[in-house]
Amino acid sequence: MAARSVIALVSVAEVVAGDLADHLDRRGHDVRQARQPWEAETLLSAGGIDVVVVGDDVTQAEGRELLRRYSSQGGGGEGGPDFILICRPRDLVDKVLALELGAADVIESPLNVRELAARIGGLLTRRGRAAGELIVLENATVDLRSAMVMHRSGTEDQLSPGQVALLKLFLACPRKVLTRDDIIAAAPAENADAFDRSIDSRIVRLRRKLDTETITTIRGAGYRFDPPVPRNE
């Protein structure tokens, strides 16, 4: 089994840190917290951190110093952690400086915990630490490990085992038309009713739960999954 990804929260506001730590822990990550920048020095010097989230309770100078010393683009080298900085609205200069110094992402406060968790998941995927577990669609992020759909509105839905199998099939065959026979063979229904009409119903229910238009019906042929184009944040 792969080791758990390690996320460090540095001077993140307590009301956010508690919810975020719980959210990440339930998704299989190891969360470590440092309340003060000097505590972060000890934590980051020990190594083994994948992503660091720096809250807006630290001064901009302190945040930049952590970036210089420990980020993958700075003193931490290729094996160093990726940094996400939380900044206050309208701090455009500080945001640009952070990105120039090697921050992987900058997000403004107040923030949505699920959005921040999705951004962390994206960085982990780039590092090869969570490939295929977090799927970002137009209006939701899907955590395949917990079978959870996290909508941008803040609501959550649970996928059934059959829906997870169906989604994994589409993810494994992007832009390929899958016939009903393909679907029945690779992602059978959760009960004996696996005739053609039930496939249509399963697709409709999955589309609705994911709030997505990426699964297209190809008349007379089957269904095709077209991955969404990533947005420029």
Side-chain angles (χ1 to χ4, degrees):
M1 181 180 296
R4 286 158 64 96
S5 302
V6 181
I7 317 298
L9 308 183
V10 177
S11 299
V12 176
E14 191 170 343
V15 64
V16 174
D19 288 345
L20 180 60
D22 179 65
H23 193 84
L24 294 172
D25 182 71
R26 285 188 285 114
R27 282 152 181 79
H29 305 304
D30 182 5
V31 181
R32 303 175 188 176
Q33 298 192 46
R35 302 295 182 188
Q36 302 295 331
W38 65 266
E39 293 178 309
E41 296 273 354
T42 302
L43 178 61
L44 298 179
S45 294
I49 308 296
D50 293 297
V51 177
V52 181
V53 180
V54 180
D56 57 8
D57 283 350
V58 304
T59 66
Q60 296 298 329
E62 289 169 331
R64 289 195 290 269
E65 182 61 21
L66 290 174
L67 270 172
R68 286 192 188 97
R69 294 185 61 183
Y70 299 105
S71 77
S72 57
Q73 302 300 314
E78 187 175 339
D82 288 320
F83 274 69
I84 297 178
L85 269 64
I86 301 172
C87 71
R88 295 182 174 86
R90 297 181 297 279
D91 284 349
L92 179 60
V93 172
D94 291 319
K95 182 175 181 178
V96 171
L97 281 173
L99 292 170
E100 288 179 344
L101 285 170
D105 201 354
V106 180
I107 185 170
E108 291 185 356
S109 61
L111 53 85
N112 181 287
V113 166
R114 293 180 182 85
E115 179 187 357
L116 179 52
R119 291 179 184 234
I120 291 171
L123 292 178
L124 290 172
T125 297
R126 277 169 39 188
R127 294 172 69 92
R129 300 287 285 142
E133 292 182 354
L134 282 174
I135 311 302
V136 179
L137 300 174
E138 315 99 299
N139 302 306
T141 298
V142 184
D143 185 337
L144 289 176
R145 174 179 294 184
S146 61
M148 185 79 70
V149 182
M150 299 166 283
H151 297 280
R152 291 187 181 276
S153 64
T155 61
E156 292 184 346
D157 277 316
Q158 194 76 35
L159 295 175
S160 70
Q163 288 174 328
V164 171
L166 184 55
L167 178 56
K168 285 183 175 180
L169 174 61
F170 280 120
L171 293 171
C173 305
R175 302 181 183 87
K176 176 182 177 182
V177 177
L178 297 175
T179 67
R180 288 172 170 80
D181 287 341
D182 291 333
I183 294 172
I184 291 172
E190 294 168 70
N191 54 49
D193 182 19
F195 297 109
D196 281 2
R197 289 185 181 178
S198 75
I199 297 296
D200 296 336
S201 299
R202 289 177 66 196
I203 299 295
V204 168
R205 287 194 294 269
L206 182 62
R207 279 197 196 115
R208 186 179 299 129
K209 188 165 284 190
L210 299 177
D211 190 15
T212 185
E213 299 297 328
T214 58
I215 302 173
T216 306
T217 300
I218 308 300
R219 183 169 295 182
Y223 303 93
R224 186 183 66 221
F225 171 67
D226 296 307
V229 177
R231 304 195 215 186
N232 293 321
E233 297 292 345

